[in-house]
Amino acid sequence: MTSIEKSNPLQQNSDQESLLHRMIKQIRRSLNLPEILTTTVTEVRLFLRADRVKVYRFDTDGSGEVIAESIHDQRLPSLLGLRFPVHDIPKAVREMFLLVGQRSIVDVANEKIGLSPIQSTETGKRLQTNIHYRQVDPCHIQYLKAMGVQSSLVVPILDCDPQEQLAKPKLWGLLVSHHTEPRKILKREIKVLQQVADQVAIAIAQSNLLTEALNQQKREAIVNRVTTLLHKLPTVELQAAIEEVISAFSGVGGRLYIEQSRELYTWGDQPTLPYELDNSIIEQHPTWQKWMLECKPGNIWASSDLYKEPHLRVLALAFRSTQIRGLMVIPLHYREKFIGVLSIFRAEFETEILWAGRCDANRRQLLPQLSFEVWREQKKGQAPEWKPEDMALAQALYDHFSMAIQQQQMYKEVQVLNGNLELRVQEKTAELEKSLLITKVIKQITEQIRRTLDLQTTLQTIVREVRPLLNSDRVVIFQLSSKSVIVEEINGSWQSVLGLNAPLECFPNDYKHLYSKGRIRSLNNVSTDSLSDCHREFLQNLQIQASLTVPINIGIEVWGLLIVHECSAPRTWQDAEIDLLQQLGDQAAIAIQQAQLYEQTYNAETEARNQAAQLEHTLHKLQETQTRLVQTEKMFGLGQLVAGIAHEINNPVNFIYGNLCHTSDYIEQLLEILRLYQLHYPDPHSEISDAIASIDFEFLIEDLPRIITSMQVGSDRIRSIVLSLRNFSRLDEAENKRVDLHEGIDNTLLILQYQLTSKGAFPGIQVIKDYGNIPMVECYAGQMNQVFMNIFSNAIDALEMGNGEWGMGAGNWGIVNENKEDKKDKPYSMPTIHISTRISTDNSRLLIRISDNGPGMTLEVKKRIFDPFFTTKSVGKGTGLGLAISYQIIVEKHGGIMECISEPGKGTEFWIEIPVKPPAKIDR
């Protein structure tokens, strides 16, 4: 084997360090694995001065593909994108690559192979970089000759999961160098290439982590979209959700079957059962039903070829008329109860593989490959593969679909579960508020970053700082995309070049390629340095006598140039000045990268803001929905209760009332007969006289009519209460009609009469009615009664609590302050509710004012009294829905106004104003 020409050892070390530095820098700057591999093969080829350097990646079956390649001057044919069969690299060789990190050098001319293991197979300890030569298999020599190779170097590339410390590395691929001429490979070159392979392994691990993160992000986005559709209240969007899921799995069809309701949601291609299988729905077929009974909760079944599944042999007939071949079945369970099944279909497809030469399985192990001409292998009817990320996504969707279906079924039974409605709504509200808080925090962080990241300001700061540091006349930044100067800093009265475009004919495309490689160009004297006439004339027109230019590279692309101009005289640029400007160019690249990150952050902020608005809208709709449900249930329950009580009381009262008049007549007649007996038989028998004396006959005759009269009064009172209850419930008045609101107020007060009376130390509540001459009002009478009931109940609760305790002093009722020293100075007043009704001057609106002399409320409480679920009462005494429902009834149902006027210590007044006749039909 001939050796390459000897080089300076210091230059060799510098080249090695430069190669590693560029590789590490590329890996740190980019997470794009193809880009890193392309840079790797190019740098390694230049380092080894090889004819071809390629990266060969193994597949799971042992075959491989060339995924990156660099060829010098087309000396060898390109292998990029070609596949090689598994037998080209035997299993034993692959195991040695993995077990001891085997590096191999093949000398075709001398038919020798040099082996350089990293670690010992016996002890596992790391070895020195030594090369042991031995004879190589002639088949291998013929194989390389067929490729036009005289010398090759192979270094394995291993892949190890950084998240698992105990995980064993895997053989990911090979870094291969080919030479058309014999070449001696040195130990230091092997060592450098091993370090490059290690850096590539790091890049692979980073790429895997990035891919996994992107897949996780995509999976979470899909789950979020599906979750939004599945948990929309009051309607669950199952059809839209299944379409979203099928699209996420790249399916051609799918279906969702719900066991309890036997509902079927479908989209895309669908199987059709033949008539001889009886059932029109595949999920109702006995074979499918038996399969579902055997499935355990949480188990997801997937097959890339349903025609190869024995238990689907009968049902596979339904898929014959379609292109469906892949099938995923997600049995849905809720608490181990089967509630449905979600199925995803994937179509069969055709593939084309580019092989490096025609594969002949019978001759592959006996003869070397004689031709590497491209052979296209086409495979039809291929089954799609279900990947682990597909199974992870399916597992995430399993819970959401199960919960959504169960939620839909529970929603249909909401009246039965009404007792738990408020708790569920509060939990959902807390969850949404938490999500909203998180979104707002993200928004604040994004805004803070945005305030500190401004590209123009950063670039202007760079040129402003560079000019005095280098003591130059002008510093500019030239952007390649706009082909103009975007920022500048000038010292003196020199000509401004801001916005100036450079002539394209003076700057060939080769310049851009050189700058992307990190080229730095220094011109000490424009008049004498080697320049094209066009370039020199352009610089002299700008009064430039010397210049220093460094590239601003982002990745492997040139974003722009940082240029220093010396206009007063020529200048020799020092190494320190060049190094400083290069560092500032790197800082400018970082600033641009930060600006790009800022743009991504801004987009994320916009998305977060939209999500926050959507969450707030959803929260508002959720609160409105639950408020309406609670109001409907309360009004319906209260109406049924009142109507039932009134009906049950009315029947026996009518019976008693109807018989009292007859009883009174009969008693009068009997008393008349007794008086006749006393008149005609004044001397009764002694036994009768004793009985008359014992029962106080005279008092009995006198008191019996009074008893009958009191019973009639009580019966009238009961009938009046029953009538008030019926009027209050007004179940027979579902539509709005003209009613007397005074009657509704009186009926409500009659129902609350017990709470208005004195109890123990509480003196009772005085009600003052200041009724005006108001007309009949067209409204929903039952709902208006509910408003009066809520306001009166809150007033009674406020008066019962007071600022301290209600007591008696100096013959008057009033408030006794908790401070004992203030008792003598506080005036006493009776707990009072004042009701006033008036009609507007144009007779179009009715004003109702209900006030109390209770403790009043603070401004913070007053702002929130109409919010759903807000209450100042203790746990168990209030739900916080009464005034929210009342506000909806007045404002939304009747198109009116409801306001609260209150101050601490000055009582509370509710101001209600509704139209006498609604301007349009009231929307129920």
Side-chain angles (χ1 to χ4, degrees), residues 439-499:
T439 305
K440 288 182 177 179
V441 171
I442 295 174
K443 174 185 175 184
Q444 292 174 357
I445 295 174
T446 304
E447 289 178 348
Q448 182 179 0
I449 294 175
R450 182 180 60 188
R451 287 195 300 267
T452 58
L453 294 176
D454 182 76
L455 177 61
Q456 189 69 21
T457 303
T458 304
L459 296 181
Q460 190 65 52
T461 302
I462 290 175
V463 296
R464 186 172 60 248
E465 295 296 330
V466 168
R467 198 210 57 74
L469 284 175
L470 297 182
N471 192 23
S472 61
D473 298 322
R474 185 196 296 125
V475 177
V476 301
I477 291 181
F478 180 83
Q479 185 180 15
L480 263 65
S481 61
S482 63
K483 296 182 175 60
S484 63
V485 175
I486 58 174
V487 293
E488 72 171 354
E489 178 70 14
I490 302 176
N491 179 33
S493 58
W494 303 106
Q495 174 184 350
S496 174
V497 297
L498 188 63

Side-chain angles (χ1 to χ4, degrees), residues 776-830:
M776 303 288 280
V777 179
E778 184 176 344
C779 64
Y780 293 109
Q783 294 184 4
M784 289 301 299
N785 289 343
Q786 177 69 12
V787 174
F788 298 146
M789 175 67 77
N790 290 333
I791 294 177
F792 289 148
S793 297
N794 283 336
I796 292 171
D797 291 341
L799 290 171
E800 286 180 345
M801 288 187 298
N803 284 333
E805 298 178 353
W806 291 98
M808 188 187 309
N812 294 319
W813 295 99
I815 299 177
V816 179
N817 193 277
E818 292 180 354
N819 190 343
K820 305 301 182 180
E821 299 299 329
D822 295 340
K823 282 186 179 182
K824 297 180 180 180
D825 299 331
K826 291 290 183 181
Y828 295 94
S829 60
M830 185 71 178

Side-chain angles (χ1 to χ4, degrees), residues 599-615:
E599 182 179 358
Q600 298 175 1
T601 304
Y602 178 78
N603 294 334
E605 176 198 355
T606 303
E607 181 180 355
R609 186 184 296 109
N610 295 335
Q611 183 181 7
Q614 183 179 3
L615 288 173

